Amino acid sequence: MAGLAVAVIAVSTSAILVRWSDAPSVIKAFYRVLFTTALLVPWALGRYRGEFGRMELRDVGLAGLTGLALALHFVSWFESLNYTSVAASVTLVQTQPLFVAVGAWALLDERLTRRMLVGIFIALFGAVAMSLGDPLLASVGIGDAAGLTNTGAFGNALAVVGAVTSAAYVLAGRSLRQRVSLVPYVVVVYLACAGALLAIAVAQNAPLVDYPRREWLLFLGMAIGPGIFGHTVINWALAHVESGVVSVSLLGEPVGSTVLALLLLPGEIPTPTTVAGGAVVLLGIYLTAVARGHD
């Protein structure tokens, strides 16, 4: 449980680091994934070298699809932080378990219980309430200084896209994770993700290397904090703690990110609509995660 607590704190810093960086969203995502992979490769080759050679062609192809889904998740979520508040963005992207539950029902014939459906509808109601509230740009009082250039509704929509693509990442990687150990799995998927992000960056003509030292330190911080101590530790925890407990614990991320935003980002004050709607969303995710964990 201590490792899980560290992971939740680490992922809570992600939105703050993304906001501090002035680089394009795809570049932030690319270097976060690339640096995370670079930190894991020596360990992976030292202990799991044989597993890479035993991977079948279908597993490589599945890793590519999983990495593509993860790349789209990072790009859409990072971009959402340019348009909406940290509280709204992180809360909405955390609706991923709802889409995993629905996707598992539609694609894998997993059962949706009545309690899961109740949780899903409660969370969706909260998400709609958040998105139909007053425009976040005007209400949080951040303004152009924080780089917000549109109303919060667009950013909220991007965060939901981030949740859907994150769910696709989880579902696509489920069978691969059953055949490949954690570290080789993460390295292969991250390499595929980095390749997809690089292709997107080139297509967008985003500069790849012309950044000041501050940006490189932020990229490295994203890799070490949310990357290594966050998501990698969470994947490790899934082998030692019930998945329902992990899912519920991750509800601490929106709370932690919101508190850090209040302390570290000028003017980042969520509206009453965001707070109330976010609380309803988290309640719905909690009910869904608990019901799924006990199914």
Side-chain angles (χ1 to χ4, degrees):
M1 291 300 291
L4 191 55
V6 169
V8 172
I9 294 171
V11 295
S12 296
T13 66
S14 183
I16 310 303
L17 295 170
V18 171
R19 269 285 187 84
W20 277 345
S21 173
D22 296 323
S25 296
V26 66
I27 295 298
K28 301 175 194 179
F30 171 65
Y31 281 114
R32 166 177 164 166
V33 175
L34 183 66
F35 288 170
T36 301
T37 308
L39 291 169
L40 290 172
V41 162
W43 182 23
L45 292 179
R47 293 195 57 183
Y48 304 94
R49 184 187 301 271
E51 290 198 33
F52 290 99
R54 291 194 296 269
M55 288 188 66
E56 299 179 2
L57 185 60
R58 64 166 183 168
D59 289 339
V60 175
L62 186 56
L65 290 175
T66 306
L68 176 61
L70 184 60
L72 295 176
H73 158 71
F74 279 131
V75 170
S76 55
W77 178 47
F78 283 15
E79 188 68 12
S80 79
L81 288 162
N82 291 328
Y83 297 93
T84 191
S85 69
V86 167
S89 177
V90 178
T91 301
L92 289 172
V93 84
Q94 270 298 331
T95 58
Q96 172 250 95
L98 311 181
F99 296 106
V100 170
V102 173
W105 166 75
L107 301 174
L108 305 176
D109 293 327
E110 292 189 8
R111 189 165 60 96
L112 278 176
T113 66
R114 181 175 299 178
R115 287 189 298 172
M116 290 169 66
L117 288 172
V118 169
I120 289 170
F121 282 117
I122 289 175
L124 291 178
F125 175 80
V128 170
M130 290 175 68
S131 297
L132 294 182
D134 295 332
L136 289 171
L137 177 61
S139 57
V140 299
I142 301 174
D144 293 337
L148 303 183
T149 57
N150 208 332
T151 61
F154 180 60
N156 292 345
L158 285 173
V160 173
V161 172
V164 173
T165 49
S166 178
Y169 156 69
V170 171
L171 293 170
R174 178 175 291 183
S175 61
L176 180 61
R177 180 65 183 89
Q178 293 172 353
R179 297 189 296 274
V180 182
S181 300
L182 169 63
V183 175
Y185 164 78
V186 169
V187 168
V188 172
V189 171
Y190 280 7
L191 283 172
C193 178
L197 289 167
L198 179 60
I200 296 171
V202 171
Q204 293 181 351
N205 292 317
L208 295 177
V209 294
D210 189 19
Y211 296 100
R213 180 187 299 178
R214 175 180 180 273
E215 292 294 335
W216 294 107
L217 291 174
L218 287 171
F219 299 154
L220 184 60
M222 294 176 202
I224 295 175
I228 298 295
F229 288 100
H231 290 286
T232 303
V233 173
I234 288 167
N235 279 304
W236 169 83
L238 286 169
H240 303 275
V241 183
E242 291 182 3
S243 60
V245 174
V246 175
S247 296
V248 171
S249 299
L250 289 176
L251 298 183
E253 180 184 357
V255 178
S257 294
T258 300
V259 171
L260 288 174
L262 286 169
L263 296 173
L264 301 174
L265 298 176
E268 182 73 16
I269 304 172
T271 65
T273 300
T274 300
V275 173
V280 174
V281 170
L282 295 180
L283 173 62
I285 298 172
Y286 171 81
L287 294 174
T288 304
V290 169
R292 197 158 183 257
H294 292 166
D295 189 22

